mmCIF file of all heavy atoms in Angstrom:
data_model
loop_
_atom_site.group_PDB
_atom_site.id
_atom_site.type_symbol
_atom_site.label_atom_id
_atom_site.label_comp_id
_atom_site.label_asym_id
_atom_site.label_seq_id
_atom_site.Cartn_x
_atom_site.Cartn_y
_atom_site.Cartn_z
ATOM 1 N N PRO A 1 17.093 -9.636 3.857
ATOM 2 C CA PRO A 1 16.367 -10.100 5.204
ATOM 3 C C PRO A 1 14.927 -10.065 4.964
ATOM 4 O O PRO A 1 14.282 -9.311 4.197
ATOM 5 C CB PRO A 1 16.845 -9.015 6.227
ATOM 6 C CG PRO A 1 18.002 -8.232 5.633
ATOM 7 C CD PRO A 1 17.891 -8.503 4.150
ATOM 8 N N VAL A 2 14.315 -10.910 5.719
ATOM 9 C CA VAL A 2 12.821 -11.077 5.640
ATOM 10 C C VAL A 2 12.039 -9.815 6.149
ATOM 11 O O VAL A 2 11.065 -9.453 5.518
ATOM 12 C CB VAL A 2 12.320 -12.384 6.480
ATOM 13 C CG1 VAL A 2 10.818 -12.420 6.427
ATOM 14 C CG2 VAL A 2 12.939 -13.632 5.982
ATOM 15 N N ASP A 3 12.657 -9.172 7.140
ATOM 16 C CA ASP A 3 11.954 -8.042 7.653
ATOM 17 C C ASP A 3 11.893 -6.885 6.621
ATOM 18 O O ASP A 3 10.904 -6.229 6.467
ATOM 19 C CB ASP A 3 12.653 -7.440 8.942
ATOM 20 C CG ASP A 3 12.286 -8.319 10.116
ATOM 21 O OD1 ASP A 3 11.328 -9.161 10.038
ATOM 22 O OD2 ASP A 3 12.997 -8.180 11.092
ATOM 23 N N SER A 4 13.016 -6.606 5.821
ATOM 24 C CA SER A 4 12.906 -5.579 4.828
ATOM 25 C C SER A 4 11.992 -5.954 3.726
ATOM 26 O O SER A 4 11.392 -5.026 3.148
ATOM 27 C CB SER A 4 14.365 -5.330 4.291
ATOM 28 O OG SER A 4 14.834 -6.434 3.546
ATOM 29 N N GLU A 5 11.904 -7.160 3.336
ATOM 30 C CA GLU A 5 10.941 -7.604 2.337
ATOM 31 C C GLU A 5 9.530 -7.355 2.775
ATOM 32 O O GLU A 5 8.742 -6.919 2.041
ATOM 33 C CB GLU A 5 11.153 -9.064 1.888
ATOM 34 C CG GLU A 5 10.276 -9.574 0.853
ATOM 35 C CD GLU A 5 10.564 -8.971 -0.463
ATOM 36 O OE1 GLU A 5 11.695 -8.456 -0.729
ATOM 37 O OE2 GLU A 5 9.672 -9.034 -1.281
ATOM 38 N N MET A 6 9.272 -7.681 4.033
ATOM 39 C CA MET A 6 7.980 -7.539 4.630
ATOM 40 C C MET A 6 7.645 -6.017 4.741
ATOM 41 O O MET A 6 6.498 -5.575 4.392
ATOM 42 C CB MET A 6 7.829 -8.137 5.993
ATOM 43 C CG MET A 6 6.397 -8.102 6.466
ATOM 44 S SD MET A 6 6.138 -8.930 8.122
ATOM 45 C CE MET A 6 7.030 -7.767 9.113
ATOM 46 N N ASP A 7 8.555 -5.277 5.157
ATOM 47 C CA ASP A 7 8.300 -3.850 5.247
ATOM 48 C C ASP A 7 8.027 -3.217 3.873
ATOM 49 O O ASP A 7 7.151 -2.386 3.703
ATOM 50 C CB ASP A 7 9.545 -3.149 5.819
ATOM 51 C CG ASP A 7 9.746 -3.382 7.357
ATOM 52 O OD1 ASP A 7 8.812 -3.902 7.943
ATOM 53 O OD2 ASP A 7 10.889 -3.164 7.893
ATOM 54 N N ARG A 8 8.755 -3.641 2.862
ATOM 55 C CA ARG A 8 8.473 -3.144 1.528
ATOM 56 C C ARG A 8 7.021 -3.575 1.075
ATOM 57 O O ARG A 8 6.306 -2.745 0.461
ATOM 58 C CB ARG A 8 9.506 -3.775 0.539
ATOM 59 C CG ARG A 8 9.515 -3.147 -0.829
ATOM 60 C CD ARG A 8 10.522 -3.749 -1.767
ATOM 61 N NE ARG A 8 10.379 -5.110 -2.031
ATOM 62 C CZ ARG A 8 9.502 -5.672 -2.862
ATOM 63 N NH1 ARG A 8 8.675 -4.936 -3.482
ATOM 64 N NH2 ARG A 8 9.449 -6.983 -3.026
ATOM 65 N N LYS A 9 6.600 -4.868 1.287
ATOM 66 C CA LYS A 9 5.221 -5.257 0.900
ATOM 67 C C LYS A 9 4.177 -4.386 1.745
ATOM 68 O O LYS A 9 3.142 -3.970 1.129
ATOM 69 C CB LYS A 9 5.094 -6.683 1.236
ATOM 70 C CG LYS A 9 5.707 -7.626 0.323
ATOM 71 C CD LYS A 9 4.876 -7.584 -0.988
ATOM 72 C CE LYS A 9 5.533 -8.654 -1.964
ATOM 73 N NZ LYS A 9 5.022 -8.448 -3.341
ATOM 74 N N VAL A 10 4.406 -4.220 3.014
ATOM 75 C CA VAL A 10 3.450 -3.368 3.838
ATOM 76 C C VAL A 10 3.404 -2.002 3.232
ATOM 77 O O VAL A 10 2.265 -1.402 3.147
ATOM 78 C CB VAL A 10 3.948 -3.412 5.364
ATOM 79 C CG1 VAL A 10 3.200 -2.284 6.119
ATOM 80 C CG2 VAL A 10 3.817 -4.701 6.000
ATOM 81 N N LEU A 11 4.482 -1.434 2.936
ATOM 82 C CA LEU A 11 4.532 -0.073 2.303
ATOM 83 C C LEU A 11 3.710 -0.092 1.030
ATOM 84 O O LEU A 11 3.017 0.908 0.769
ATOM 85 C CB LEU A 11 5.952 0.362 2.195
ATOM 86 C CG LEU A 11 6.087 1.837 1.644
ATOM 87 C CD1 LEU A 11 5.402 2.838 2.683
ATOM 88 C CD2 LEU A 11 7.535 2.203 1.404
ATOM 89 N N GLN A 12 3.941 -1.079 0.193
ATOM 90 C CA GLN A 12 3.136 -1.199 -1.088
ATOM 91 C C GLN A 12 1.628 -1.287 -0.842
ATOM 92 O O GLN A 12 0.921 -0.595 -1.486
ATOM 93 C CB GLN A 12 3.563 -2.475 -1.831
ATOM 94 C CG GLN A 12 4.814 -2.349 -2.746
ATOM 95 C CD GLN A 12 5.045 -3.557 -3.446
ATOM 96 O OE1 GLN A 12 4.870 -4.758 -2.952
ATOM 97 N NE2 GLN A 12 5.416 -3.471 -4.747
ATOM 98 N N TYR A 13 1.245 -2.048 0.150
ATOM 99 C CA TYR A 13 -0.186 -2.165 0.368
ATOM 100 C C TYR A 13 -0.782 -0.828 1.087
ATOM 101 O O TYR A 13 -1.805 -0.447 0.665
ATOM 102 C CB TYR A 13 -0.526 -3.331 1.404
ATOM 103 C CG TYR A 13 -0.367 -4.684 0.718
ATOM 104 C CD1 TYR A 13 0.440 -5.674 1.313
ATOM 105 C CD2 TYR A 13 -1.041 -4.938 -0.363
ATOM 106 C CE1 TYR A 13 0.502 -6.935 0.721
ATOM 107 C CE2 TYR A 13 -0.946 -6.300 -0.996
ATOM 108 C CZ TYR A 13 -0.153 -7.155 -0.448
ATOM 109 O OH TYR A 13 -0.058 -8.458 -1.025
ATOM 110 N N GLU A 14 -0.005 -0.250 1.926
ATOM 111 C CA GLU A 14 -0.447 1.047 2.479
ATOM 112 C C GLU A 14 -0.543 2.107 1.408
ATOM 113 O O GLU A 14 -1.507 2.906 1.374
ATOM 114 C CB GLU A 14 0.483 1.475 3.563
ATOM 115 C CG GLU A 14 0.362 0.687 4.840
ATOM 116 C CD GLU A 14 1.396 0.969 5.824
ATOM 117 O OE1 GLU A 14 2.331 1.728 5.485
ATOM 118 O OE2 GLU A 14 1.257 0.540 7.004
ATOM 119 N N THR A 15 0.308 2.124 0.468
ATOM 120 C CA THR A 15 0.313 3.115 -0.555
ATOM 121 C C THR A 15 -0.888 2.779 -1.525
ATOM 122 O O THR A 15 -1.547 3.690 -1.979
ATOM 123 C CB THR A 15 1.637 3.018 -1.489
ATOM 124 O OG1 THR A 15 2.778 3.193 -0.558
ATOM 125 C CG2 THR A 15 1.658 4.022 -2.621
ATOM 126 N N PHE A 16 -1.112 1.541 -1.782
ATOM 127 C CA PHE A 16 -2.242 1.181 -2.669
ATOM 128 C C PHE A 16 -3.598 1.631 -1.958
ATOM 129 O O PHE A 16 -4.476 2.208 -2.597
ATOM 130 C CB PHE A 16 -2.319 -0.322 -2.830
ATOM 131 C CG PHE A 16 -3.438 -0.803 -3.615
ATOM 132 C CD1 PHE A 16 -3.544 -0.585 -4.962
ATOM 133 C CD2 PHE A 16 -4.473 -1.555 -3.026
ATOM 134 C CE1 PHE A 16 -4.608 -1.017 -5.690
ATOM 135 C CE2 PHE A 16 -5.499 -2.024 -3.794
ATOM 136 C CZ PHE A 16 -5.611 -1.748 -5.128
ATOM 137 N N ILE A 17 -3.690 1.384 -0.649
ATOM 138 C CA ILE A 17 -4.840 1.844 0.051
ATOM 139 C C ILE A 17 -5.011 3.355 -0.094
ATOM 140 O O ILE A 17 -6.164 3.790 -0.437
ATOM 141 C CB ILE A 17 -4.815 1.405 1.548
ATOM 142 C CG1 ILE A 17 -4.963 -0.038 1.660
ATOM 143 C CG2 ILE A 17 -5.936 2.160 2.359
ATOM 144 C CD1 ILE A 17 -4.836 -0.608 3.097
ATOM 145 N N SER A 18 -4.007 4.110 0.315
ATOM 146 C CA SER A 18 -4.206 5.603 0.345
ATOM 147 C C SER A 18 -4.184 6.241 -1.007
ATOM 148 O O SER A 18 -4.980 7.257 -1.242
ATOM 149 C CB SER A 18 -3.070 6.169 1.094
ATOM 150 O OG SER A 18 -1.771 5.970 0.558
ATOM 151 N N GLU A 19 -3.497 5.744 -2.015
ATOM 152 C CA GLU A 19 -3.366 6.403 -3.367
ATOM 153 C C GLU A 19 -4.433 5.882 -4.281
ATOM 154 O O GLU A 19 -4.825 6.640 -5.277
ATOM 155 C CB GLU A 19 -2.001 6.258 -3.954
ATOM 156 C CG GLU A 19 -0.937 7.060 -3.152
ATOM 157 C CD GLU A 19 0.432 6.995 -3.792
ATOM 158 O OE1 GLU A 19 0.556 6.394 -4.796
ATOM 159 O OE2 GLU A 19 1.350 7.586 -3.192
ATOM 160 N N VAL A 20 -4.895 4.744 -4.146
ATOM 161 C CA VAL A 20 -5.915 4.144 -5.064
ATOM 162 C C VAL A 20 -7.336 3.905 -4.444
ATOM 163 O O VAL A 20 -8.262 4.599 -4.907
ATOM 164 C CB VAL A 20 -5.366 2.815 -5.720
ATOM 165 C CG1 VAL A 20 -6.346 2.177 -6.620
ATOM 166 C CG2 VAL A 20 -4.058 2.984 -6.409
ATOM 167 N N LEU A 21 -7.380 3.137 -3.469
ATOM 168 C CA LEU A 21 -8.637 2.723 -2.978
ATOM 169 C C LEU A 21 -9.382 3.914 -2.301
ATOM 170 O O LEU A 21 -10.584 4.171 -2.586
ATOM 171 C CB LEU A 21 -8.606 1.584 -1.991
ATOM 172 C CG LEU A 21 -8.143 0.257 -2.597
ATOM 173 C CD1 LEU A 21 -7.991 -0.800 -1.537
ATOM 174 C CD2 LEU A 21 -9.108 -0.196 -3.664
ATOM 175 N N LYS A 22 -8.769 4.616 -1.377
ATOM 176 C CA LYS A 22 -9.358 5.745 -0.702
ATOM 177 C C LYS A 22 -9.688 6.916 -1.743
ATOM 178 O O LYS A 22 -10.718 7.549 -1.517
ATOM 179 C CB LYS A 22 -8.488 6.326 0.391
ATOM 180 C CG LYS A 22 -8.414 5.389 1.611
ATOM 181 C CD LYS A 22 -7.802 5.961 2.799
ATOM 182 C CE LYS A 22 -7.856 4.960 3.992
ATOM 183 N NZ LYS A 22 -7.198 5.476 5.174
ATOM 184 N N ARG A 23 -8.858 7.091 -2.708
ATOM 185 C CA ARG A 23 -9.072 8.072 -3.689
ATOM 186 C C ARG A 23 -10.323 7.674 -4.520
ATOM 187 O O ARG A 23 -11.286 8.543 -4.780
ATOM 188 C CB ARG A 23 -7.948 8.361 -4.620
ATOM 189 C CG ARG A 23 -8.115 9.479 -5.693
ATOM 190 C CD ARG A 23 -6.954 9.473 -6.640
ATOM 191 N NE ARG A 23 -7.098 8.296 -7.526
ATOM 192 C CZ ARG A 23 -6.135 7.501 -7.916
ATOM 193 N NH1 ARG A 23 -4.843 7.699 -7.434
ATOM 194 N NH2 ARG A 23 -6.277 6.486 -8.647
ATOM 195 N N ASP A 24 -10.422 6.432 -4.896
ATOM 196 C CA ASP A 24 -11.567 5.941 -5.649
ATOM 197 C C ASP A 24 -12.900 6.115 -4.887
ATOM 198 O O ASP A 24 -13.937 6.481 -5.338
ATOM 199 C CB ASP A 24 -11.407 4.483 -6.059
ATOM 200 C CG ASP A 24 -10.344 4.327 -7.146
ATOM 201 O OD1 ASP A 24 -9.960 5.319 -7.736
ATOM 202 O OD2 ASP A 24 -9.959 3.123 -7.452
ATOM 203 N N LEU A 25 -12.725 5.729 -3.509
ATOM 204 C CA LEU A 25 -13.945 5.844 -2.642
ATOM 205 C C LEU A 25 -14.376 7.312 -2.600
ATOM 206 O O LEU A 25 -15.590 7.538 -2.682
ATOM 207 C CB LEU A 25 -13.579 5.323 -1.253
ATOM 208 C CG LEU A 25 -14.728 5.470 -0.235
ATOM 209 C CD1 LEU A 25 -15.904 4.578 -0.621
ATOM 210 C CD2 LEU A 25 -14.188 4.925 1.071
ATOM 211 N N GLN A 26 -13.371 8.209 -2.422
ATOM 212 C CA GLN A 26 -13.774 9.620 -2.375
ATOM 213 C C GLN A 26 -14.526 10.121 -3.659
ATOM 214 O O GLN A 26 -15.417 10.755 -3.638
ATOM 215 C CB GLN A 26 -12.470 10.543 -2.127
ATOM 216 C CG GLN A 26 -12.780 11.910 -1.903
ATOM 217 C CD GLN A 26 -13.572 12.212 -0.625
ATOM 218 O OE1 GLN A 26 -13.451 11.497 0.317
ATOM 219 N NE2 GLN A 26 -14.286 13.279 -0.651
ATOM 220 N N LYS A 27 -14.000 9.684 -4.789
ATOM 221 C CA LYS A 27 -14.595 10.109 -6.065
ATOM 222 C C LYS A 27 -16.049 9.560 -6.243
ATOM 223 O O LYS A 27 -16.961 10.273 -6.630
ATOM 224 C CB LYS A 27 -13.838 9.598 -7.247
ATOM 225 C CG LYS A 27 -12.569 10.322 -7.540
ATOM 226 C CD LYS A 27 -11.839 9.740 -8.696
ATOM 227 C CE LYS A 27 -10.488 10.441 -8.985
ATOM 228 N NZ LYS A 27 -9.778 9.817 -10.143
#
């Protein structure tokens, strides 16, 4: 289903923001 694919992408982007970008900004 399209919703589960979209939810997976949203989760990937949110993870990228919190685990990569925000960590890099903090450093």
